[in-house]
Amino acid sequence: MNQLNNKLNDIRENGYSLSPFQVMGEAFQYYGKTFFLVLTTLLLAIIGLIFLGSIGLSQIIEIDPNSTQQEIQEKVLELTQLISEPPYFYYYLASFTFLSALSGILIAGYYKLNAEASLNQTPSILSAFKYFFSVKGLYVFISQLLISIVFLCITIPLKMANLEMVSMAINWLANTLTIFTIPLIIFGNQKPLTAIKNSIMVVNKQPIPIVLTVILNYFFLVSGLLFFVIGVLFVLPYLFSVYFTLYKQVIGHNLEE
């Protein structure tokens, strides 16, 4: 813990050096070792989400299995209208916030997989779900919940004012500033608010290399959209490897947690 505090103090005073292309090169090594595990758990999470979502939707609208395509489209439009109005609008926001926080725990598991790969260990699928059963996972959940709530309080008024681009820019900025929050919790043993504060400090100290690295890899993510959903599934595991490598090169991680 003292080693981490010394490193953060050094960053606060002297900054750090970072090469986006070195990050991407090292991340690709971890990507090759973690790809199938991350892809498998992502697919399991998506299937589970679809299953739960279908149950929830069945409680809101009824769709006859023999319905025509036009009738299904009308039901979808009806659902869209329902979500945009109270009380379903608040249900939607609560669900979005909860799922965002919950996904943070799974992402913490992906950091763990990449950490194992960096130590030349064999990554285990159990590591992807490790933090669902630990105090660190609870801290990750709380941190992501706080970030999501603050983000919603800022962006909802902007969306209501039809300032969608401003809302997207703030979303991207918030994600970039808090990019080190999860690894600071699981590797640095920090509490949620402390991790958020230190993440913002580190990124704000030298934002250009961090921003450049994030932009380059968001470009790959958008490129994955050109190959439909399957493309995104191939790119996301690499994005998680990049995030881990960023933390490893900028702050370093406690190998024994």
Side-chain angles (χ1 to χ4, degrees):
M1 195 67 178
N2 289 332
Q3 182 179 356
L4 175 62
N5 289 333
N6 291 337
K7 179 63 177 179
L8 291 173
N9 288 331
D10 182 61
I11 290 173
R12 187 179 289 108
E13 295 175 5
N14 305 313
Y16 49 86
S17 60
L18 180 70
S19 170
F21 294 105
Q22 287 182 359
V23 171
M24 295 166 68
E26 184 177 341
F28 194 77
Q29 299 176 22
Y30 307 145
Y31 169 71
K33 298 178 180 180
T34 61
F35 168 72
F36 287 108
L37 291 176
V38 175
L39 181 63
T40 300
T41 53
L42 276 175
L43 288 173
L44 288 173
I46 291 172
I47 292 172
L49 191 61
I50 292 174
F51 175 73
L52 293 176
S54 63
I55 294 176
L57 289 178
S58 66
Q59 303 299 316
I60 300 175
I61 59 174
E62 295 182 2
I63 298 180
D64 190 334
N66 299 320
S67 298
T68 64
Q69 183 175 357
Q70 183 178 356
E71 289 173 337
I72 294 176
Q73 290 176 347
E74 290 175 354
K75 289 291 185 180
V76 171
L77 290 174
E78 178 185 343
L79 176 62
T80 304
Q81 184 65 27
L82 280 174
I83 291 177
S84 63
E85 298 175 354
Y88 294 104
F89 178 67
Y90 301 116
Y91 297 158
Y92 164 75
L93 292 180
S95 300
F96 172 82
T97 304
F98 178 80
L99 289 175
S100 296
L102 200 63
S103 66
I105 305 177
L106 186 60
I107 293 173
Y110 296 153
Y111 275 99
K112 179 63 175 175
L113 290 176
N114 281 277
E116 291 174 346
S118 74
L119 295 172
N120 293 319
Q121 298 174 355
T122 302
S124 167
I125 194 170
L126 295 178
S127 297
F129 301 103
K130 172 181 179 179
Y131 298 106
F132 282 95
F133 310 100
S134 72
V135 175
K136 290 182 180 180
L138 177 62
Y139 287 164
V140 169
F141 180 85
I142 293 172
S143 69
Q144 299 306 298
L145 193 66
L146 291 173
I147 293 169
S148 296
I149 290 173
V150 172
F151 166 69
L152 286 175
C153 290
I154 295 174
T155 58
I156 287 177
L158 292 174
K159 289 184 178 181
M160 294 178 67
N162 294 321
L163 297 174
E164 294 286 343
M165 295 302 296
V166 178
S167 175
M168 290 176 61
I170 292 177
N171 181 26
W172 179 83
L173 178 63
N175 288 332
T176 303
L177 286 173
T178 57
I179 196 171
F180 297 126
T181 300
I182 293 177
L184 279 170
I185 291 174
I186 62 174
F187 297 132
N189 297 310
Q190 294 196 333
K191 301 294 178 60
L193 288 177
T194 304
I196 293 172
K197 180 186 70 174
N198 284 327
S199 177
I200 293 173
M201 181 276 293
V202 172
V203 175
N204 194 50
K205 184 64 180 181
Q206 287 182 217
I208 293 179
I210 298 290
V211 169
L212 183 58
T213 304
V214 172
I215 288 176
L216 284 172
N217 289 282
Y218 270 29
F219 172 77
F220 288 123
L221 185 62
V222 172
S223 298
L225 290 173
L226 300 178
F227 298 95
F228 305 103
V229 176
I230 190 66
V232 175
L233 290 176
F234 275 86
V235 174
L236 274 177
Y238 176 66
L239 196 62
F240 298 135
S241 294
V242 168
Y243 285 174
F244 167 76
T245 309
L246 263 176
Y247 180 80
K248 180 173 178 287
Q249 291 196 10
V250 173
I251 300 176
H253 70 288
N254 185 345
L255 304 184
E256 303 299 330
E257 292 191 73

